[in-house]
Amino acid sequence: MNISNFKQLELLLSEFMPSGIEMAYVLDRMLLFMDYLGNPQNSYPVVHVAGTSGKTSTCYYLASLLGQRYKKVGLTVSPHIVEVNERVQINLTPLPEKEFCSEFSIFMDLVESCSIKPTYFELLVGFAFWEFARQKVDYAVIEVGLGGLLDGTNVITRTDKVCVITDIGYDHINVLGRTLPEITSQKAGIIQPGNKVFCYKYGQKPAVIKVISDRTRLRRGELHLLNKLDLSGVEFLPDFQKRNFSLSYSVTECILGNNHIPKLTSSETSKAAKILIPGRMEIFEINGKTIILDGAHNSQKLHALMSSIASKYSKVPAAALISFVTGREYRLETSVSEIIGKVNFLIITSFETAQDFHHQSVKPKAVESLFNEQGFNNIQIVTDLKEALKTLLERPEKILIITGSFYLLCKIRPYVLEKSS
């Protein structure tokens, strides 16, 4: 197969789109697929990250911290914000388009000779595992796509795998369960025999900790519960990132210690914390306005985002442009509550995209009604993304926030970059 650019690649990937999320949350197909590829995911040490909030940021920080000591660190995250090659990174650099497409062409020749047809997500995860083996990475950081137990990443069987479980909240309840213990059980499903497990005890519900503890004990693993933040030298981070970085730092220090590798210096730690994470309180300056992009798509994330903005830009008037993805309407009411009182004006837009699954936004009128019910009426609906951004930039407020879904960010970020250049 000959794929020469990302446009051709996305066209190809669209052929692997699953019909629904429930159909995709199974592991049998991925186990067969990886076995066919020779199980490359077991050829290097791995940190495997599950959770509801902070997964991607934690993965980026882990890759950055580990990269201070290891020569070659692989990273795969999802969804991608800028381009599909974010899903295969070496030392925090996505494979260049030419290399990514060339390697994927070789990979697809293998896939086409196989009777198994993976999903969009499974195909890209399989490619990441395969490519990391070809690149001979010293370590790989792997972000769970959905849940954990039956996620396509949960095929790593090495006993030295390190599991990280970030903060747990309500998400994908139609697939993972309607209670926190049920959801946690799915997330903790990544814990395999003998694994080390890291999570916060501080700030987590006791029921969540019990499920993780029970799973770790059942698997005869080693549980590390964090009771405080270690923030020496990284006080400059946004409030919501301090928790993610501290967790990543604790994991890294354990890995380095177990491998008799010197601890990180304060300057190395500070350097690792200064990386850019796409779509996580990403800040642009346009015509004297501060534009903040963040994929805060549930009340947990929105609370953290709005608190960080309030801390950094105390009492500065703000307006927001938002849109939420369908399929998770159960969390909209609490999400709306986190926005009300934090902005003076709201623009609601819409989007449609195909990444892992087909995604479209909740109808703007439905979102507007939820705000109206809670007494907020300073709203304008602008369904076209370019026009919505133009309308936002014309607002008098100095702080302009774009949030509500990573898929919104993926579609609108190129327009923001155009305006900021």
Side-chain angles (χ1 to χ4, degrees), residues 35-47:
D35 191 54
Y36 170 78
L37 294 173
N39 289 305
Q41 77 281 7
N42 289 324
S43 63
Y44 40 79
V46 164
V47 183

Side-chain angles (χ1 to χ4, degrees), residues 175-242:
V175 176
L176 304 180
R178 294 186 171 273
T179 68
L180 284 181
E182 288 174 336
I183 292 167
T184 307
S185 181
Q186 292 294 315
K187 309 281 187 183
I190 66 170
I191 302 169
Q192 302 292 341
N195 292 173
K196 287 182 173 61
V197 182
F198 287 80
C199 70
Y200 277 111
K201 183 176 182 181
Y202 162 68
Q204 290 262 50
K205 300 282 188 185
V208 167
I209 300 305
K210 183 179 187 308
V211 171
I212 296 172
S213 299
D214 289 349
R215 173 73 179 189
T216 306
R217 192 180 308 112
L218 178 67
R219 292 300 207 172
R220 297 182 180 178
E222 181 183 303
L223 181 60
H224 297 253
L225 290 173
L226 279 63
N227 280 307
K228 62 177 182 177
L229 305 184
D230 187 343
L231 299 172
S232 52
V234 294
E235 293 85 358
F236 56 84
L237 285 174
D239 290 347
F240 75 100
Q241 291 291 34
K242 290 175 180 176

Side-chain angles (χ1 to χ4, degrees), residues 42 44-49 139 142 153-163 189-197:
N42 289 324
Y44 40 79
V46 164
V47 183
H48 199 185
V49 183
Y139 239 99
I142 310 296
T153 63
N154 199 24
V155 290
I156 306 151
T157 57
R158 292 175 61 121
T159 57
D160 65 351
K161 183 179 79 169
V162 178
C163 299
I190 66 170
I191 302 169
Q192 302 292 341
N195 292 173
K196 287 182 173 61
V197 182

Side-chain angles (χ1 to χ4, degrees), residues 69-275:
R69 284 288 178 269
Y70 289 99
K71 288 184 178 179
K72 191 174 279 192
V73 177
L75 169 67
T76 182
V77 295
S78 64
H80 53 269
I81 303 298
V82 181
E83 191 51 82
V84 68
N85 58 343
E86 287 169 41
R87 301 199 185 212
V88 183
Q89 302 186 41
I90 302 294
N91 295 338
L92 292 176
T93 301
L95 288 190
E97 183 172 11
K98 184 177 179 181
E99 183 181 1
F100 191 102
C101 291
S102 174
E103 289 293 288
F104 203 85
S105 296
I106 299 167
F107 179 70
M108 282 305 300
D109 287 338
L110 289 173
V111 174
E112 289 190 328
S113 64
C114 170
S115 60
I116 304 157
K117 186 172 182 180
T119 64
Y120 179 115
F121 177 75
E122 292 166 348
L123 190 65
L124 287 172
V125 168
F127 176 59
F129 285 142
W130 179 82
E131 185 63 24
F132 292 156
R134 281 168 69 86
Q135 295 268 357
K136 295 183 170 55
V137 298
D138 300 305
Y139 239 99
V141 179
I142 310 296
E143 181 184 8
V144 165
L146 167 66
L149 181 66
L150 302 178
D151 182 69
T153 63
N154 199 24
V155 290
I156 306 151
T157 57
R158 292 175 61 121
T159 57
D160 65 351
K161 183 179 79 169
V162 178
C163 299
V164 182
I165 302 177
T166 66
D167 293 342
I168 302 293
Y170 292 96
D171 206 6
H172 297 291
I173 62 173
N174 57 318
V175 176
L176 304 180
R178 294 186 171 273
T179 68
L180 284 181
E182 288 174 336
I183 292 167
T184 307
S185 181
Q186 292 294 315
K187 309 281 187 183
I190 66 170
I191 302 169
Q192 302 292 341
N195 292 173
K196 287 182 173 61
V197 182
F198 287 80
C199 70
Y200 277 111
K201 183 176 182 181
Y202 162 68
Q204 290 262 50
K205 300 282 188 185
V208 167
I209 300 305
K210 183 179 187 308
V211 171
I212 296 172
S213 299
D214 289 349
R215 173 73 179 189
T216 306
R217 192 180 308 112
L218 178 67
R219 292 300 207 172
R220 297 182 180 178
E222 181 183 303
L223 181 60
H224 297 253
L225 290 173
L226 279 63
N227 280 307
K228 62 177 182 177
L229 305 184
D230 187 343
L231 299 172
S232 52
V234 294
E235 293 85 358
F236 56 84
L237 285 174
D239 290 347
F240 75 100
Q241 291 291 34
K242 290 175 180 176
R243 188 170 173 91
N244 298 323
F245 187 84
S246 182
L247 177 59
S248 305
Y249 180 80
S250 297
V251 174
T252 303
E253 286 293 277
C254 181
I255 289 172
L256 297 180
N258 287 340
N259 289 285
H260 310 291
I261 297 172
K263 295 180 70 170
L264 298 177
T265 65
S266 57
S267 62
E268 287 171 329
T269 302
S270 179
K271 178 184 175 183
K274 290 176 179 174
I275 57 168

